[in-house]
Amino acid sequence: MAKNTIILYFRMLFQMAVYLYTSRILLQVMGAENYGLYDVVGGMVAVLLFLNNSMTTCTQRYITVALGKGNGDYLNKVYSAATMIHVLLAVLVAVVGGLAGCWYIAHYLVFPIEKLWDVYVVFGCSLVSGMCLIMSVPSNATIVAHENMGAFAAITIVDVLLKLGAALSLYLFPTHLLLPAYACIMCSEAVVVRLIYWLYVRHRYRTIRLTLVRDKSLYREMLAFMGWSTFGNLSVVANTQGINLLLNAFGGPVANAARAVAFQVQTAVTQFIASFQTAINPQITKTYAGHDLTQSNRLILCSSRLSFMLMLFMAIPLLLETEFALRLWLGENVPNHAVNFVRLLLCVSMVDCVANPMMVGAAATGKVRGYYLTIGTTLLTTLPIGYWTISKWDVPECVFIVLLSTTLLAQVFRLFICRRLFGFSIRAFLRHVAGRIVLAGAVGMAVPVWLHSYWEPASLLAHGGFIVCCLLWTGCTVALTGLERGERQFVLQKTNQLLHRK
């Protein structure tokens, strides 16, 4: 797990740097209006991809369980069945998405009428890219389940480099062709990455081959899991792309640009946690499949606590230096509301990073109906309540405050559901996770907030010094309050070995 985590962190750092630079290029070359329009139109396809998110969770769970049981024949059946389901799902998304998207564009989407052709080109290319993403899931899940993070990182690096090339290529096109040109290039990039995933799995895992699976019980089991997972992922779509459409209705493309910038920052920061959790998640599922519930629960507690501690390193300086960070990244092209959107989404991510390991534990049981019904219903209330608040006060930030509130409430419900599903100890969570993250968060924020109130950096060097102080203080806080005794001893031992290595 440590080796895989290190590999994924190198992947994450490279991916984050390229994504942030790519976003800067896109915003400068395309402008806030075109950038926001591309984000909201592409988001319309992402609304339909909640089905794909459901099958991703389902496929990863079943492939990982098959590996945990050491059943090669069952693994091959799961991979083949998942591939067939994803092909059918891709066709369904293309047909339903094409019809629904064209209707929404014609009746509700807010955009300059002279960009009508551009919007339809972007939408069509986004549909094709979405189909490629769907059909990549079985191959992607197979690589992650085998914990082959080196290959996973390498393909991701190729992916982000191609995306960077797509952004740089925009300098070759006239202004009126920027939107359709970028959409077509990104569509081609999605096809190439899909082929890379398929070819790698075919070459690396020769025992896994596509066969015609006639086991109806396996299809029923996977589709039942997918059905309840779909309901849960519907709430995720409502809290991402649904909010994006809501902002478009009340604020237009500029509000979408602010949300797109905030979402890019959120994605970059959460990559730190995602890299760690991607390395540990297969172990949570495999230990459960091997009937070692004690170890599985211990991994969930450890993953939740350490994920929050990792989040603190990025969150504290970003929460205090949001405006400086955005201006350093985007120059003078920072959209209105982007600063507040970033801060609120960072708070949401701090709750989500604690919740994700419990979601993996619930998925490992296969009994997800109650989990997704309760959590999904709670999170789905974000959109109607958000609509009411923004229509009443006309303040876009209200939507994200509602999102933070429902995310916290869902976490409370999640604790009781996990206790029923696999004997998860709420007392252990409060002692080993909640207590430590509250203490680490309070102490970690106290000194930087006090320092920021007396020291307002004016130069680039001063801002850099303040951020370094935040990181050093957060590191000390995590070491003293966030880590348990055995973990501190492990870190000190490894550090001592590195310092004295000849």
Side-chain angles (χ1 to χ4, degrees):
M1 286 188 293
K3 177 183 176 182
N4 286 335
T5 301
I6 292 171
I7 291 173
L8 289 173
Y9 269 121
F10 278 113
R11 160 192 172 270
M12 174 273 303
L13 290 171
F14 182 83
Q15 184 180 27
M16 180 177 66
V18 175
Y19 272 161
L20 292 177
Y21 181 62
T22 301
S23 299
R24 179 188 177 102
I25 292 174
L26 291 175
L27 193 57
Q28 288 179 341
V29 176
M30 298 175 70
E33 184 177 78
N34 281 340
Y35 184 61
L37 195 57
Y38 181 85
D39 183 69
V40 73
V41 174
M44 292 167 57
V45 176
V47 169
L48 298 170
L49 293 182
F50 72 91
L51 292 172
N52 179 63
N53 295 333
S54 305
M55 278 309 304
T56 300
T57 303
C58 175
T59 304
Q60 288 180 345
R61 185 263 173 189
Y62 278 91
I63 290 178
T64 306
V65 166
L67 287 172
K69 293 180 177 179
N71 190 333
D73 292 337
Y74 181 65
L75 173 62
N76 200 53
K77 285 177 60 177
V78 168
Y79 178 81
S80 298
T83 300
M84 294 177 187
I85 292 174
H86 276 81
V87 170
L88 293 176
L89 181 59
V91 174
L92 177 65
V93 166
V95 175
V96 176
L99 295 174
C102 290
W103 172 81
Y104 187 88
I105 290 172
H107 294 87
Y108 294 103
L109 190 67
V110 179
F111 63 93
I113 191 62
E114 65 270 14
K115 295 185 180 295
L116 179 62
W117 182 79
D118 294 354
V119 167
Y120 278 112
V121 171
V122 172
F123 180 67
C125 291
S126 298
L127 272 179
V128 176
S129 300
M131 294 176 67
C132 292
L133 177 64
I134 291 172
M135 291 187 289
S136 297
V137 168
S139 302
N140 189 309
T142 300
I143 295 172
V144 173
H146 281 86
E147 300 183 64
N148 189 355
M149 301 308 174
F152 183 64
I155 297 175
T156 301
I157 289 173
V158 172
D159 185 17
V160 297
L161 286 176
L162 289 174
K163 285 183 169 64
L164 174 61
L168 292 173
S169 69
L170 292 180
Y171 288 106
L172 303 176
F173 294 92
T175 303
H176 68 282
L177 291 179
L178 288 176
L179 263 179
Y182 184 65
C184 292
I185 295 170
M186 289 297 291
C187 179
S188 303
E189 188 269 345
V191 174
V192 170
V193 173
R194 164 70 186 97
L195 288 174
I196 292 173
Y197 271 115
W198 179 77
L199 290 172
Y200 179 81
V201 170
R202 181 177 176 83
H203 174 74
R204 179 67 175 80
Y205 308 110
R206 296 185 181 276
T207 57
I208 298 179
R209 286 291 179 266
L210 286 176
T211 58
L212 181 61
V213 179
R214 302 182 184 275
D215 187 351
K216 294 181 180 180
S217 62
L218 178 60
Y219 284 113
R220 284 196 298 268
E221 186 179 346
M222 294 182 70
L223 289 173
F225 188 106
M226 173 190 171
W228 290 110
S229 181
T230 296
F231 183 80
N233 280 291
L234 183 61
S235 64
V236 177
V237 173
N239 294 342
T240 52
Q241 301 306 328
I243 287 177
N244 205 19
L245 295 175
L246 187 61
L247 291 173
N248 177 261
F250 284 89
V254 175
N256 293 127
R259 182 262 173 195
V261 167
F263 185 73
Q264 286 284 342
V265 175
Q266 182 193 33
T267 301
V269 172
T270 53
Q271 287 299 318
F272 280 90
I273 297 89
S275 298
F276 170 70
Q277 291 181 345
T278 299
I280 201 171
N281 286 347
Q283 288 296 321
I284 294 175
T285 305
K286 288 177 181 178
T287 50
Y288 179 86
H291 306 291
D292 189 354
L293 294 183
T294 301
Q295 176 67 359
S296 181
N297 284 340
R298 190 182 73 82
L299 288 172
I300 292 172
L301 291 172
C302 181
S303 180
S304 295
R305 178 168 47 81
L306 295 182
S307 294
F308 184 88
M309 301 307 163
L310 290 171
M311 187 71 173
L312 276 181
F313 280 100
M314 294 296 292
I316 289 178
L318 269 177
L319 287 170
L320 296 175
E321 291 282 85
T322 311
E323 186 172 355
F324 166 73
L326 292 182
R327 291 194 179 278
L328 182 65
W329 171 30
L330 302 174
E332 299 300 320
N333 298 314
V334 180
N336 293 333
H337 304 288
V339 172
N340 291 333
F341 285 4
V342 167
R343 288 170 173 163
L344 289 168
L345 282 178
L346 282 175
C347 293
V348 172
S349 296
M350 296 177 80
V351 180
D352 281 338
C353 72
V354 176
N356 286 338
M358 282 179 274
M359 182 192 72
V360 175
T365 67
K367 303 173 183 177
V368 294
R369 181 177 64 179
Y371 177 89
Y372 283 119
L373 185 62
T374 304
I375 303 302
T377 301
T378 303
L379 294 177
L380 276 174
T381 61
T382 300
L383 205 55
I385 298 175
Y387 175 83
W388 179 78
T389 57
I390 196 174
S391 61
K392 182 176 178 63
W393 288 293
D394 195 25
V395 178
E397 286 82 356
C398 289
V399 182
F400 295 100
I401 295 174
V402 173
L403 173 60
L404 177 59
S405 302
T406 55
T407 303
L408 285 167
L409 182 60
Q411 174 60 15
V412 175
F413 293 152
R414 191 177 283 110
L415 290 172
F416 291 95
I417 296 170
C418 289
R419 181 178 65 177
R420 177 180 58 82
L421 282 177
F422 51 92
F424 187 72
S425 173
I426 296 178
R427 178 178 297 181
F429 177 84
L430 294 176
R431 178 182 176 184
H432 296 287
V433 180
R436 287 185 177 274
I437 67 177
V438 169
L439 179 61
V443 176
M445 284 292 292
V447 171
V449 169
W450 173 81
L451 184 62
H452 196 268
S453 64
Y454 286 95
W455 176 26
E456 295 184 3
S459 65
L460 180 62
L461 183 61
H463 281 290
F466 176 77
I467 291 173
V468 170
C469 290
C470 287
L471 293 175
L472 291 174
W473 175 255
T474 305
C476 294
T477 301
V478 167
L480 295 175
T481 64
L483 299 181
E484 296 185 342
R485 180 180 299 177
E487 294 165 346
R488 283 195 295 271
Q489 292 175 348
F490 175 81
V491 172
L492 290 174
Q493 179 185 358
K494 293 299 181 183
T495 302
N496 186 58
Q497 291 176 356
L498 288 174
L499 292 176
H500 292 84
R501 180 177 293 176
K502 295 182 179 180

